[in-house]
Amino acid sequence: MAATLRWRVLEAGDVPLLAALAGRCLRADGGSPDAATASFVDRSYLLPGKSTVGAVEPGGQVVAAAAARRNRDRLDAVGQVDPAWRGRGLGRELFGWTCAQGGDACTLRILTEAVTPAAERLYARYDLTRVFAEDVMRRDLTVPSPDVPLPAGVTVEAWSDGVIADFFTAYAGSFGDRPGFPGWTLEQWVAWTVDEEFRPDLSMVARAADGPVGFLTCTADLIVQVGVRPDWRGRRLGAALVAGALATMRATGTTQCHLDVNVDNPGAARLYRRLGFVPIGRRARYEAGLRPRR
């Protein structure tokens, strides 16, 4: 049946079709609801400089899609196949197309919002190594969150222009000791943090007598980052920040909250489970070297 498909370049007008494809994959594979939004698929597939391809069935539905962009010596790529069309070689076709976009030898980096067993087998076949993974977790906010008090001597304040520097200090102090820390400037971190969905009223910085000791940033239904300075870990500060955000979200009528937690951070995962989060999917990056074409 794959022979009935028409392969073509994807364009801006295809965003609704790509979002629908992402929604079908999300329902089958789990993961963050954001992955099926029009803004997310537009960024993932149609930013300037990206090459695209899609498989379209006779009825006009996109059932497989991929996008790739060369970034110096690295090729970044995304792709997905409709659950109803899996097992027919479309994943291999997308992977072959992706490799062909690499040109000379470079590193191929695959970004996936939902790791499935079939995808892992495909990546293993082509010697792709997983270099990053996060579990997507969800909290049902129709169930009240536990009341977790702040540690003694700690106060919190919502995001505002006057405290952005404290947020950044807490961010750097919380994550600066971790492998892969990007070393961003305040301006770079703020640009990454603040977008059209950012909620300053839900985002909090925690202070003690010796300065900023933790922080939390949010959208209306997503906890973006939670950090606690190493010398303040183990005092339930992170739990208090998350529980407070959940209570406020629930009070505004939000019915569920999501977050991502690195698979190499089991302590944080245990904290989120205790607060009622459950895993619903996994997102990851895989890398491999592409050989020059002959």
Side-chain angles (χ1 to χ4, degrees), residues 2 5 21 43 47 80 97 132-133 232 251 275-276 294:
L5 298 177
L21 169 61
R43 292 194 305 271
L47 284 180
Q80 53 191 336
W97 174 89
F132 169 82
W232 273 81
L275 292 173
R294 298 182 183 279

Side-chain angles (χ1 to χ4, degrees), residues 6-40:
R6 178 169 62 95
W7 293 87
R8 64 171 175 81
V9 172
L10 299 171
E11 300 174 341
D14 294 313
V15 166
L17 295 174
L18 285 168
L21 169 61
R24 296 191 296 274
C25 293
L26 177 67
R27 289 189 290 274
D29 307 327
S32 172
D34 287 346
T37 62
S39 60
F40 186 92

Side-chain angles (χ1 to χ4, degrees), residues 33-155:
D34 287 346
T37 62
S39 60
F40 186 92
V41 298
D42 184 51
R43 292 194 305 271
S44 299
Y45 286 86
L46 297 171
L47 284 180
K50 287 194 172 186
S51 300
T52 64
V53 69
V56 184
E57 66 169 358
Q61 186 170 256
V62 174
V63 298
R69 179 167 61 178
R70 184 71 179 262
N71 182 10
R72 295 185 180 179
D73 59 350
R74 190 182 73 220
L75 182 70
D76 292 333
V78 296
Q80 53 191 336
V81 177
D82 191 312
W85 283 80
R86 293 172 185 170
R88 312 186 199 192
L90 296 184
R92 289 192 299 275
E93 290 199 46
L94 290 179
F95 190 82
W97 174 89
T98 297
C99 292
Q101 310 310 304
D104 297 333
C106 66
T107 297
L108 170 64
R109 183 171 73 170
I110 300 285
L111 301 93
T112 175
E113 291 300 313
V115 180
T116 64
E120 288 190 315
R121 289 193 294 271
L122 177 67
Y123 300 151
R125 188 177 304 135
Y126 291 96
D127 297 323
L128 282 150
T129 300
R130 192 182 78 189
V131 296
F132 169 82
E134 288 182 329
D135 284 329
V136 181
M137 305 185 79
R138 179 175 60 208
R139 174 60 154 82
D140 178 6
L141 295 183
T142 63
V143 179
S145 58
D147 182 18
V148 183
L150 289 165
V154 173
T155 61

Side-chain angles (χ1 to χ4, degrees), residues 58-286:
Q61 186 170 256
V62 174
V63 298
R69 179 167 61 178
R70 184 71 179 262
N71 182 10
R72 295 185 180 179
D73 59 350
R74 190 182 73 220
L75 182 70
D76 292 333
V78 296
Q80 53 191 336
V81 177
D82 191 312
W85 283 80
R86 293 172 185 170
R88 312 186 199 192
L90 296 184
R92 289 192 299 275
E93 290 199 46
L94 290 179
F95 190 82
W97 174 89
T98 297
C99 292
Q101 310 310 304
D104 297 333
C106 66
T107 297
L108 170 64
R109 183 171 73 170
I110 300 285
L111 301 93
T112 175
E113 291 300 313
V115 180
T116 64
E120 288 190 315
R121 289 193 294 271
L122 177 67
Y123 300 151
R125 188 177 304 135
Y126 291 96
D127 297 323
L128 282 150
T129 300
R130 192 182 78 189
V131 296
F132 169 82
E134 288 182 329
D135 284 329
V136 181
M137 305 185 79
R138 179 175 60 208
R139 174 60 154 82
D140 178 6
L141 295 183
T142 63
V143 179
S145 58
D147 182 18
V148 183
L150 289 165
V154 173
T155 61
V156 297
E157 185 174 350
W159 181 286
S160 68
D161 290 345
V163 298
I164 289 176
D166 284 352
F167 270 87
F168 181 71
T169 298
Y171 156 74
S174 299
F175 299 126
D177 63 338
R178 295 187 179 177
F181 181 68
W184 285 337
T185 64
L186 183 151
E187 291 75 17
Q188 288 173 315
W189 180 71
V190 170
W192 180 86
T193 301
V194 178
D195 59 16
E196 64 276 6
E197 297 179 348
F198 177 66
R199 286 287 297 270
D201 56 317
L202 295 176
S203 303
M204 298 287 160
V205 63
R207 299 192 194 88
D210 57 345
V213 295
F215 79 104
L216 173 146
T217 53
C218 296
T219 71
D221 58 1
L222 173 70
I223 294 176
V224 179
Q225 277 190 315
V226 184
V228 174
R229 214 170 64 187
D231 56 321
W232 273 81
R233 293 172 191 164
R235 307 191 204 186
R236 305 209 73 194
L237 173 56
L241 290 170
V242 173
L246 295 178
T248 304
M249 289 178 185
R250 185 172 188 269
T252 63
T254 303
T255 58
Q256 58 183 6
C257 176
H258 294 82
L259 57 77
D260 301 330
V261 58
N262 196 295
V263 296
D264 295 329
N265 193 355
R270 286 193 296 271
L271 163 65
Y272 300 139
R273 287 176 185 272
R274 287 197 299 268
L275 292 173
F277 284 88
V278 295
I280 59 170
R282 177 169 289 184
R283 55 195 302 270
R285 284 200 306 263
Y286 293 80

